[in-house]
């Protein structure tokens, strides 16, 4: 009996990650028992990774529309209008589980997959970012995982020739057994030449292009929808293998084919491979599809229908062409030395029919796979009320500079140069501001227009109060875009959580989405794409929740952007968004508290979305009027850290005047939101503009020609000392 004739049981379904209720639903929808190929297709399409069955209810509440939105969630990537007839196409996606199992290939194929999502829309990718979370710095696997992931990101991005321009790298013990690797890509397309995935035209040919199909990555989507255990290493065969050189050829061939006006619809073979691409293309078009699997280019002998459909081999696409365009397309792919094979056709049946070995390997209706996929409203535990941490309960009498030395010598705040120097950030020659700034800035080639891009999340805030933490992730991304003078446009998100079947985890997921939605609506930054990564647990221990926000903004003239480094001595330093009151500063869930032994969970800093909007609007105006020469948002580590970071890569220092009263450590290290440190050559005009806009402002010091930081009259440290501590931390970690 062949595998396509063998009927499955519930035990088979459970092994593929399906519940008893889901198995019964499949039997009901098919009115018969599925074979292995059919069950594999259901398990992949109904996996958390593909169906969003635990998060769909909450994702529907996010704001997705706006005058700038060309394409929202549901396509390979989102698209927003940036002016001049151009669109920015972008998305972020996770490759967490594969990267823990095999860090180089897991990270590399994450980059390759997100690039395909972007150029599938007809966009040429222009920038890559990433958001990475690793375990504790002293954990036995951290050095190995960090080294492999960074090498994989650089290996793929550098080889394919797309600059990696920004991102995050953080460490926390909750990621010891389950790291997070989120990859973001941004591309540019003509706003009237965006390609979509819905199949059209019964009888039109379905074409397979790219690399051959192998047995790597089989059931990768299902693996990404389950918890880890001590047997995780045995899942190595579910990790895909990437080839950036083939990826480059595929990108160029697809963009050339799109320019020939031959493509009706196109879809990346990402999670679940040929299964998801064929099912999604046919279902979005309200049609069916018939595929002869014997025609699929395979690199291994004897692959079954199940293996061909569930393989996640990389650098592959599925497309529907105009009936008379086949030979034109074949010539293009022959030129780029890539497989080009008509493997089927679009039908009117509403069914997915797969032929193999002169028989039918699969014949199932498409509606149950997509429209009838399970959608759960999982129970949530109430989020605990957190007490506010009083500054006096945690602060010490240590000099501010002593605290700065300890913080900059720790991986939490140490320079990430060791990481980003392994990435080519300048290839394509349009990177204006790369890694290390508040946001990356990439020029639209041949113009002065620029895209500002950032990724942000503060997991400790989300853990303490998911709704506040979700809102804060959006607000911080908004601040980072505003800080260089760009106008925020829209966001993509990557929701990384533990097991949603646990009520406390489901509450983290749902409430963070609520907070994210409120912030996105208030700040006019709709959500246009995203990804959900759940079951990030090992042996029942969940990660710190991490809903990452990737934001894109636009600036009309890149020469008007500002950086986050001091540029001239004798300029005045101000806090924009805070006045001269003796407010002690918010230390709950701050880095300062963590570094001073606070292990209990306290309330995170509140987020005032109206203040974020008004202060960001004013800052962009001040930058455009050249009243601000440098700007840095105040986030991790508070005001003292922000001032220090503005001096680290310059020959300048700062003399900071301390407030007359209050808790000095709370003032220096509190993480109150909606604030920026700015410098100006014209203090009088800056103060007048802030007063006119009713935005609080306070002068706190002066940029100095001496490369040292002085807080008050006697507390001084050289910039060189801080720089040495900051730059030496990660290299020392990696050297063991």
């Amino acid at each position: 009996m062949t595998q396509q004739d063998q009927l499955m049981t519930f035990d088979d379904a459970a092994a593929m990650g399906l519940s008893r209720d889901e198995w019964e639903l499949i039997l009901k929808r098919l009115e018969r028992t599925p074979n292995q190929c059919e069950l594999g297709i259901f398990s992949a399409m109904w996996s958390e990774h593909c169906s969003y069955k635990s998060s769909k209810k909450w994702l529907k509440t996010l704001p997705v529309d706006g005058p700038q939105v060309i394409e929202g969630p549901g396509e390979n990537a989102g698209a927003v209008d940036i002016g001049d007839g151009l669109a920015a196409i972008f998305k972020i996606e996770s490759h967490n589980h594969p990267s823990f199992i095999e860090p180089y290939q897991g990270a590399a194929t994450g980059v390759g997959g997100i690039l395909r999502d972007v150029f599938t829309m007809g966009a040429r990718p222009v920038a890559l970012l990433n958001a990475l979370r690793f375990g504790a710095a002293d954990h036995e696997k951290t050095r190995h995982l960090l080294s492999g992931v960074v090498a994989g990101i650089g290996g793929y991005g550098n080889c394919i020739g797309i600059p990696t321009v920004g991102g995050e790298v953080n460490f926390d013990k909750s990621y010891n057994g389950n790291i997070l690797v989120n990859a973001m890509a941004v591309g540019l397309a003509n706003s009237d030449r965006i390609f979509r995935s819905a199949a059209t035209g019964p009888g039109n040919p379905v074409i397979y292009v790219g690399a051959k199909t192998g047995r790597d990555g089989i059931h990768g989507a299902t693996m990404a929808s389950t918890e880890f255990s001590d047997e995780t290493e045995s899942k190595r065969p579910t990790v895909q293998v990437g080839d950036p050189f083939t990826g480059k050829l595929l990108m160029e061939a697809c963009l050339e084919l799109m320019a020939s006006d031959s493509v009706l619809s196109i879809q990346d073979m990402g999670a679940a491979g040929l299964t998801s691409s064929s099912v999604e293309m046919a279902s979005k078009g309200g049609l069916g599809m018939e595929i002869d699997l014997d025609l699929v280019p395979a690199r291994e002998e004897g692959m079954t229908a199940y293996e061909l459909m569930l393989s996640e081999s990389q650098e592959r696409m599925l497309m529907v062409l105009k009936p008379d365009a086949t030979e034109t397309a074949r010539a293009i792919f022959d030129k780029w030395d890539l497989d080009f094979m008509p493997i089927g056709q679009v039908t009117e049946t509403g069914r997915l029919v797969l032929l193999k070995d002169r028989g039918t390997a699969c014949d199932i209706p498409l509606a149950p796979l997509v429209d009838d996929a399970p959608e759960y409203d999982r129970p949530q535990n109430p989020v605990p009320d957190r007490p506010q941490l009083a500054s006096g309960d945690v602060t010490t009498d240590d000099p501010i500079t002593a605290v700065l030395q300890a913080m900059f010598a720790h991986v939490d705040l140490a320079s990430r140069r060791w990481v980003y120097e392994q990435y080519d950030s300048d290839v394509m020659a349009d990177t204006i501001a790369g890694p290390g700034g508040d946001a990356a800035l990439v020029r639209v080639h041949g113009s002065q227009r620029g895209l500002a891009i950032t990724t942000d999340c503060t997991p400790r805030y989300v853990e303490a109060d998911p709704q506040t933490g979700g809102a804060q992730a959006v607000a911080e991304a908004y601040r980072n875009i505003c800080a260089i003078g760009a106008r925020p446009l829209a966001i993509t998100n990557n929701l990384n959580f533990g097991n949603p079947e646990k009520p406390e985890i489901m509450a983290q997921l749902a409430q963070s989405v609520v907070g994210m939605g409120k912030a996105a609506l208030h700040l006019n930054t709709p959500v246009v794409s995203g990804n959900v990564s759940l079951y990030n647990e090992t042996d029942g221990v969940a990660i710190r929740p991490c809903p990452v926000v990737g934001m894109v903004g636009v600036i009309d003239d890149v020469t008007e952007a500002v950086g986050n480094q001091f540029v001239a001595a004798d300029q005045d330093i101000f806090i924009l968004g805070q006045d001269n009151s003796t407010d002690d500063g918010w230390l709950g869930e701050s880095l300062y508290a963590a570094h001073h032994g606070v292990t209990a969970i306290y309330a995170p800093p509140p987020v005032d979305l109206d203040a974020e909007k008004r202060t960001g609007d004013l800052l962009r105006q001040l930058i455009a009027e050249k009243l601000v020469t440098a700007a840095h948002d105040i986030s991790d580590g508070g005001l003292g850290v922000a001032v220090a970071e503005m001096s680290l890569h310059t020959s300048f220092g700062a003399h900071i005047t301390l407030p007359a009263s209050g808790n000095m450590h709370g003032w220096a290290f509190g993480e109150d939101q909606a604030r920026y440190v700015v410098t100006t050559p014209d203090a009088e005009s800056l103060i007048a503009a802030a007063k006119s806009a009713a935005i609080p402002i306070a002068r706190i010091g002066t940029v100095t020609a001496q490369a040292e930081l002085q807080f008050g009259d006697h507390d001084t440290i050289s910039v060189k000392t801080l720089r040495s501590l900051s730059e030496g931390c990660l290299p020392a970690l990696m050297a063991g």
Side-chain angles (χ1 to χ4, degrees):
M1 180 182 293
T2 66
Q3 287 181 324
Q4 62 196 48
D5 297 324
Q6 182 181 350
L7 300 184
M8 296 289 99
T9 66
F10 170 65
D11 288 343
D12 298 313
M16 295 184 190
L18 293 164
S19 69
R20 170 69 72 173
D21 287 344
E22 290 166 349
W23 166 249
E24 296 294 339
L25 184 57
I26 291 170
L27 297 180
K28 180 179 178 181
R29 291 289 186 264
L30 291 183
E31 299 181 339
R32 60 176 174 82
T33 303
N35 63 30
Q36 186 191 37
C37 179
E38 293 168 335
L39 183 61
I41 289 171
F42 268 99
S43 72
M45 293 307 300
W46 285 10
S47 69
E48 199 74 60
H49 194 77
C50 292
S51 74
Y52 301 98
K53 57 191 175 187
S54 297
S55 57
K56 198 182 302 181
K57 168 184 169 65
W58 299 98
L59 297 177
K60 290 176 182 176
T61 68
L62 291 170
V64 298
D65 297 316
Q68 71 273 48
V69 176
I70 298 173
E71 189 66 56
E75 274 296 338
N76 288 288
V80 294
D81 188 347
I82 65 166
D84 292 341
L86 294 174
I89 314 287
F90 60 99
K91 187 182 182 183
I92 191 169
E93 199 161 72
S94 62
H95 235 221
N96 303 335
H97 287 41
S99 298
F100 184 81
I101 297 169
E102 211 301 300
Y104 185 96
Q105 289 296 347
T109 52
V111 173
I114 200 66
L115 285 171
R116 289 195 301 277
D117 282 338
V118 166
F119 72 71
T120 297
M121 301 284 290
R124 177 168 292 280
V126 296
L128 288 163
L129 295 89
N130 50 70
L132 312 177
R133 263 79 187 178
F134 296 96
D138 58 359
H139 188 263
E140 60 183 1
K141 288 189 175 180
T142 295
R143 285 169 57 210
H144 162 68
L145 293 170
L146 175 60
S147 176
V149 165
V150 170
I153 290 170
Y156 204 102
N158 296 353
C159 288
I160 202 170
I162 310 297
T164 299
V165 297
E168 304 175 276
V169 183
N170 294 113
F171 300 85
D172 184 87
K173 65 181 180 180
S174 75
Y175 307 112
N176 283 351
N178 195 129
I179 63 175
L180 303 183
V181 175
N182 297 173
M184 179 177 174
V186 185
L188 289 169
N190 292 326
S191 54
D192 61 351
R193 292 284 295 169
I194 294 174
F195 290 80
R196 294 168 173 86
S197 57
T200 58
N204 283 337
V206 175
I207 312 294
Y208 173 116
V209 301
K212 288 179 168 60
T213 297
R215 289 189 170 94
D216 53 317
I218 291 176
H219 259 306
T222 305
M223 182 269 289
S225 305
T226 57
E227 298 178 26
F228 275 168
S229 70
D230 291 334
E231 285 73 46
T232 291
E233 297 297 335
S234 67
K235 296 184 177 182
R236 191 176 300 273
T238 62
V239 178
Q240 310 91 328
V241 177
D243 179 356
F245 299 105
T246 301
K248 171 67 170 175
L249 299 178
L250 181 62
M251 178 177 72
E252 297 299 343
C254 286
L255 292 175
E256 182 177 340
L257 181 61
M258 291 168 176
S260 74
D261 204 29
S262 300
V263 177
L264 293 174
S265 52
I266 183 169
Q267 174 76 39
D268 164 40
M269 290 193 216
L274 190 51
T275 287
S276 62
S277 55
S278 58
V279 169
E280 290 175 9
M281 291 179 78
S283 63
K284 286 177 183 177
L287 296 165
M289 195 170 286
E290 180 180 293
I291 293 174
D292 185 345
L293 294 178
D294 289 322
L295 299 176
V296 172
R299 66 168 182 261
E300 300 183 43
E301 295 290 332
M303 290 187 70
T304 65
Y306 171 85
E307 291 172 328
L308 289 165
M309 289 302 292
L310 274 299
S311 168
E312 293 184 11
S313 294
Q314 297 292 285
E315 289 84 42
R316 302 178 302 156
M317 311 285 276
L318 197 65
M319 57 181 66
V320 176
L321 298 181
K322 293 180 177 179
D324 59 353
T326 301
E327 293 312 309
T328 298
R330 186 189 303 277
I332 290 172
F333 279 85
D334 284 348
K335 182 183 79 173
W336 291 101
D337 198 24
L338 293 166
D339 275 293
F340 177 94
M341 179 60 69
I343 61 170
Q345 62 181 350
V346 179
T347 68
E348 294 181 295
T349 64
R351 303 180 72 84
L352 179 66
V353 177
L354 304 175
L355 308 177
K356 183 76 170 69
D357 299 328
R358 300 180 181 177
T360 301
C362 167
D363 186 350
I364 52 179
L366 287 164
L369 289 171
V370 182
D371 301 334
D372 297 340
E375 180 177 335
Y376 298 125
D377 185 4
R378 298 195 186 277
Q380 304 174 41
N381 281 349
V383 177
D385 288 329
R386 308 294 187 184
Q388 184 174 342
L389 177 63
S391 295
D393 292 342
V394 65
T395 51
T396 69
D397 293 328
D398 292 339
I400 289 174
T401 58
V403 177
L404 284 175
Q405 286 188 72
M407 294 179 83
F408 275 101
H410 192 276
V411 292
D412 284 343
L413 286 177
S415 168
R416 276 33 179 169
R417 185 186 299 276
W418 181 89
V419 172
Y420 63 70
E421 281 192 340
Q422 298 185 52
Y423 307 148
D424 188 337
S425 302
D426 296 313
V427 65
M428 301 178 74
D430 283 314
T431 303
I432 304 299
D438 283 2
L441 182 61
V442 177
R443 176 173 42 219
V444 175
H445 192 72
S447 77
Q448 290 300 97
R449 188 175 297 274
L451 292 177
I453 321 161
T454 188
T455 61
D456 288 287
C457 184
T458 310
R460 60 185 185 276
Y461 294 172
V462 184
E463 181 181 47
D465 184 333
Q467 192 167 145
T468 296
Q472 190 274 341
V474 177
E476 185 173 350
Y478 184 87
R479 287 199 302 274
N480 283 336
I481 299 292
C482 290
I484 66 170
R487 176 170 57 89
L489 288 175
I491 65 178
T492 180
N493 57 28
N494 206 139
L495 309 179
N496 304 277
F497 293 88
N499 183 350
E501 297 167 46
K502 298 177 179 178
E504 66 274 17
I505 302 297
M506 192 61 224
Q508 292 176 348
L509 169 60
Q511 296 308 308
S512 70
V513 171
V514 170
M516 189 175 290
K518 289 180 178 178
L521 185 64
H522 200 96
L523 300 175
N524 299 324
T525 54
V527 181
V528 297
S529 61
N531 173 245
V532 174
S533 175
L534 306 182
Y535 296 94
N536 288 290
E537 301 198 4
T538 298
D539 295 327
V541 179
I543 61 163
R544 258 187 168 169
C546 189
V548 173
V549 168
M551 185 176 286
V552 171
V554 66
I555 187 168
D556 293 334
D557 187 344
V558 294
T559 65
E560 295 182 354
V562 299
N564 65 353
Q565 300 288 306
F566 294 142
V567 297
D570 300 323
Q571 292 194 349
D572 290 303
I573 305 171
F574 284 83
I575 305 179
L576 188 64
Q578 178 179 318
D579 59 24
N580 269 320
S581 70
T582 58
D583 183 4
D584 284 345
W586 195 285
L587 288 176
E589 295 307 306
S590 66
L591 281 186
Y592 178 94
H595 284 223
H596 285 77
V598 176
T599 57
I601 299 178
Y602 288 90
V607 176
D608 183 337
L609 294 172
D610 186 57
E612 295 282 5
K613 180 75 166 61
R614 293 188 302 110
T615 308
D617 287 347
L618 174 62
L619 177 59
R620 296 198 309 276
Q621 173 192 324
L622 295 172
I623 292 172
E625 294 174 356
K626 303 192 184 309
L627 289 176
V628 165
T629 54
H632 190 15
D633 84 303
I634 299 175
S635 54
D636 286 348
L639 168 64
V641 167
V643 169
E645 287 176 338
M646 295 180 80
S647 70
L648 278 184
H649 304 295
T650 75
S651 59
F652 302 108
H655 184 189
I656 302 300
T657 303
L658 300 178
S661 61
N663 185 305
M664 292 303 106
H665 280 194
W667 178 82
F669 301 107
E671 295 182 7
D672 307 70
Q673 302 292 292
R675 300 183 301 157
Y676 305 81
V677 178
V678 300
T679 58
T680 183
D682 186 349
E684 184 176 338
S685 296
L686 184 75
I687 294 169
K691 183 176 181 180
S692 175
I695 300 296
I697 191 170
R699 184 187 179 280
I700 60 168
T702 306
V703 180
T704 64
Q706 295 76 36
E708 61 184 24
L709 299 177
Q710 181 176 342
F711 292 86
D713 294 331
H714 307 293
D715 186 12
T716 302
I717 187 172
S718 75
V719 172
K720 181 180 179 180
T721 297
L722 275 185
R723 185 187 303 127
S724 177
L725 291 170
S726 175
E727 298 285 355
C729 181
L730 275 187
L733 168 66
M734 298 310 295

